[in-house]
Amino acid sequence: SVINRFTSVFDSKTAELLSHHQVGIKQSFPKEGWVEEDPKEILQSVYECMERTCEKLGQLNIDISNIKAVGVTNQRETTLVWDKETGEPLYNAIVWLDLRTQSTVERLINSTPGKNKNQLKTGLPISTYFSAVKLRWLMDNVEEVAEAVLTHRAMFGTVDSWLIWCLTGGKSGGVHVTDVTNASRTMLFNIHTLDWDPELCKYFDVPMEILPQVKSSSEIYGSMNSGSLAGVPISGCLGDQSAALVGQMCFQDGQAKNTYGTGCFLLRNTGIKGSVAIAGAVVRWLKDNLGIIQSSAEIEKLAGDVGSSYGCYFVPAFSGLYAPYWEPSARGIICGLTQFTNRSHLAFAALEAVCFQTREILEAMNQDYGVPLTQLQVDGGMTSNRLLMQLQADVLCIPVVKPSMSETTALGAAMAAGAAEGVGVWSLTPGNLTTIPTDKYQPLINPEGERTASDLDQ
Ligand SMILES: *[C@@H]1O[C@H](CO)[C@@H](O)[C@H](O)[C@H]1NC(C)=O
Ligand SMILES: *[C@@H]1O[C@H](CO)[C@@H](O)[C@H](O)[C@H]1NC(C)=O
Ligand SMILES: *[C@@H]1O[C@H](CO)[C@@H](O)[C@H](O)[C@H]1NC(C)=O
């Protein structure tokens, strides 16, 4: 399985994408439910992307000394521990989807009064998803990590912290920081005080000295230490999903966006987030595990041939259910099969599953927030699937709006970097940047499930 990392450079006046480079890195699955990445490969991919992007700018006759700031965005909950003296990672990065901590999580929940999995201070349920339990696992199971913690040489971080530490000099003066969006996904962060919480650290038995310093998402953390961009400030750091919210310019209260990647990530401007573990991954599963499509793009044509699942339903809970259920022991199911069901129907049901999961989260958010969402902004690889986008509008009964530019996550990180004090090339306010053109999908069925006139006209 290959995960892409990329670097993008944007024009500071128009937010136009100037140059871009992408490198794939491997994910490994050493045991059932385990998902890991090599921290050095992650770092190498970032250096390579930055250098290639600079070369491409050179070919466009753009002087790289015009680059004002660097923003970082990445997966949030993915957990790393490294040695601050040698600069070496002490284990692979444990990726957010990894399930190895399921028994740790069950033990923690069972030891909580009333077996309550919700932790009010963090705003998160205890789950395999978040970093604290992954860190606990590393300290309990990896000798090098336990040893480094004991001898005060360990540093913990999510991917952003690892990258920023390395890019700002590593063992020779690298800064050990994270931003609030990342910290909020560790389960060690108090969302009311906006800092690490001593009680939570005690609960997970995590020494506070290994934690990065928590900064805002838009300020100068340090400068690039080497390479073509040496000296350029690193001043934006946002969780990938929060970055997409900024990149989609959801600055107004109540706006929301959904990113369709490996999973689905619905964020609303109020701080509420819902994650669906499996979205794009269901297409990959149909391709790699069932072999009913040769490429991910083929699913649109296959599902489009039938335009209905013929009563077949697919719940792709491969690694448990995330929001709004938080049930790690759930597993996938395909039901409603008949004699007529064929791979087209299965493909359609898989796309519908992505839409239904998004609807469940949106309904939970509407209930919490009190005001229903009137349109959903979307991004991510799967949004090029027009059938999926139309189905999503139909299932939600609200318009689905997709920016014509696909790099909204990278743009969000660049915007945070460019808005930092001391950089100041733009400001994070509505109307500061030209609006990005969009494609809009109107729902073709009404909330009662009837086809609307506009559909009959077609
Ligand atoms: C926070 O996490 C996101 C994604 O995980 C990352 O892109 C961002 O750079 C992080 N911020 C910091 C300061 O580490
Ligand atoms: C599946 O069955 C439908 C009829 O119910 C047919 O139109 C479609 O072509 C079939 N798909 C495949 C891949 O056989
Ligand atoms: C956007 O913000 C930047 C920095 O604050 C400012 O220089 C620029 O004039 C603003 N542009 C618009 C269109 O408001």
Side-chain angles (χ1 to χ4, degrees):
S1 177
V2 170
I3 295 294
N4 291 318
R5 311 230 162 214
F6 51 86
T7 302
S8 305
V9 176
F10 297 94
D11 185 303
S12 70
K13 296 211 170 54
T14 60
E16 183 195 349
L17 179 67
L18 297 176
S19 178
H20 169 101
H21 188 79
Q22 179 171 311
V23 171
I25 71 157
K26 282 191 301 291
Q27 267 189 348
S28 56
F29 306 95
K31 290 189 189 177
E32 195 198 335
W34 291 29
V35 191
E36 298 182 359
E37 289 174 11
D38 176 351
K40 288 188 147 169
E41 195 183 343
I42 297 175
L43 182 63
Q44 212 42 52
S45 71
V46 169
Y47 278 125
E48 187 182 337
C49 278
M50 283 187 156
E51 292 306 319
R52 293 289 98 75
T53 307
C54 288
E55 279 172 28
K56 288 181 186 175
L57 283 176
Q59 287 157 12
L60 295 169
N61 283 327
I62 299 173
D63 186 346
I64 57 170
S65 68
N66 285 318
I67 294 180
K68 297 279 189 258
V70 173
V72 182
T73 177
N74 217 298
Q75 306 152 336
R76 286 164 311 177
E77 298 80 3
T78 300
T79 299
L80 293 102
V81 178
W82 64 94
D83 184 317
K84 65 181 168 195
E85 280 168 22
T86 63
E88 291 293 310
L90 297 170
Y91 192 77
N92 274 346
I94 303 183
V95 176
W96 60 277
L97 268 174
D98 189 287
L99 284 179
R100 77 187 64 190
T101 55
Q102 202 167 325
S103 58
T104 312
V105 165
E106 278 159 18
R107 180 168 52 77
L108 287 169
I109 293 172
N110 286 333
S111 70
T112 309
K115 302 194 177 175
N116 184 358
K117 56 176 133 171
N118 289 311
Q119 284 276 323
L120 293 181
K121 274 193 201 173
T122 61
L124 304 170
I126 298 179
S127 153
T128 55
Y129 191 13
F130 306 109
S131 314
V133 284
K134 293 181 160 72
L135 177 57
R136 189 64 254 155
W137 185 93
L138 285 168
M139 294 194 295
D140 291 340
N141 294 280
V142 181
E143 213 172 294
E144 291 80 1
V145 172
E147 170 75 18
V149 168
L150 269 181
T151 53
H152 310 285
R153 287 183 291 113
M155 280 185 168
F156 151 80
T158 43
V159 174
D160 56 308
S161 300
W162 164 243
L163 290 178
I164 292 177
W165 187 76
C166 293
L167 294 176
T168 55
K171 61 183 178 183
S172 338
V175 293
H176 189 208
V177 294
T178 189
D179 80 314
V180 287
T181 65
N182 284 278
S184 74
R185 307 295 287 177
T186 58
M187 288 212 93
L188 300 172
F189 185 74
N190 184 322
I191 56 173
H192 305 291
T193 63
L194 295 182
D195 208 345
W196 302 119
D197 188 275
E199 254 176 49
L200 288 169
C201 291
K202 208 160 165 198
Y203 178 75
F204 289 104
D205 198 11
V206 167
M208 294 183 78
E209 66 173 21
I210 74 171
L211 303 177
Q213 199 185 352
V214 182
K215 301 271 189 174
S216 80
S217 300
S218 175
E219 66 178 277
I220 297 179
Y221 313 114
S223 297
M224 291 287 299
N225 175 261
S226 62
S228 303
L229 297 180
V232 175
I234 302 179
S235 53
C237 184
L238 280 162
D240 45 4
Q241 304 315 320
S242 310
L245 193 69
V246 173
Q248 289 254 23
M249 318 220 178
C250 291
F251 299 129
Q252 271 148 23
D253 205 13
Q255 286 183 312
K257 71 89 211 171
N258 198 17
T259 297
Y260 298 76
T262 302
C264 259
F265 305 90
L266 185 55
L267 254 78
R268 193 155 182 184
N269 185 351
T270 66
I272 309 171
K273 168 185 172 186
S275 308
V276 170
I278 301 298
V282 71
V283 179
R284 206 153 67 206
W285 187 82
L286 290 178
K287 173 166 74 74
D288 296 345
N289 297 36
L290 292 195
I292 69 171
I293 45 176
Q294 305 309 314
S295 73
S296 297
E298 246 177 67
I299 194 170
E300 182 169 7
K301 163 92 178 62
L302 188 63
D305 281 349
V306 283
S308 150
S309 69
Y310 206 81
C312 168
Y313 290 91
F314 193 156
V315 184
F318 301 147
S319 36
L321 284 166
Y322 287 25
Y325 301 103
W326 298 106
E327 186 46 70
S329 63
R331 287 297 176 267
I333 186 171
I334 298 174
C335 66
L337 302 176
T338 72
Q339 200 124 298
F340 295 99
T341 311
N342 62 28
R343 57 200 186 92
S344 302
H345 302 114
L346 221 51
F348 195 91
L351 296 182
E352 262 186 343
V354 173
C355 300
F356 285 135
Q357 292 183 96
T358 300
R359 175 168 166 160
E360 280 193 303
I361 295 184
L362 196 65
E363 281 179 353
M365 279 187 181
N366 282 345
Q367 201 160 21
D368 287 352
Y369 191 65
V371 185
L373 189 72
T374 53
Q375 72 169 34
L376 181 67
Q377 283 163 258
V378 298
D379 51 52
M382 283 183 100
T383 59
S384 60
N385 184 326
R386 301 182 61 86
L387 176 64
L388 176 72
M389 293 297 98
Q390 185 58 53
L391 265 178
Q392 187 68 84
D394 291 346
V395 163
L396 297 178
C397 300
I398 56 173
V400 166
V401 178
K402 173 185 180 269
S404 56
M405 189 228 345
S406 57
E407 288 82 10
T408 45
T409 303
L411 176 60
M415 287 170 65
E421 203 179 324
V423 180
V425 297
W426 49 35
S427 75
L428 298 183
T429 48
N432 185 259
L433 287 164
T434 28
T435 327
I436 300 170
T438 55
D439 295 330
K440 196 165 190 170
Y441 294 85
Q442 294 288 352
L444 297 178
I445 50 178
N446 65 22
E448 282 70 49
E450 295 157 352
R451 293 272 159 188
T452 58
S454 64
D455 185 30
L456 297 175
D457 290 345
Q458 286 182 350

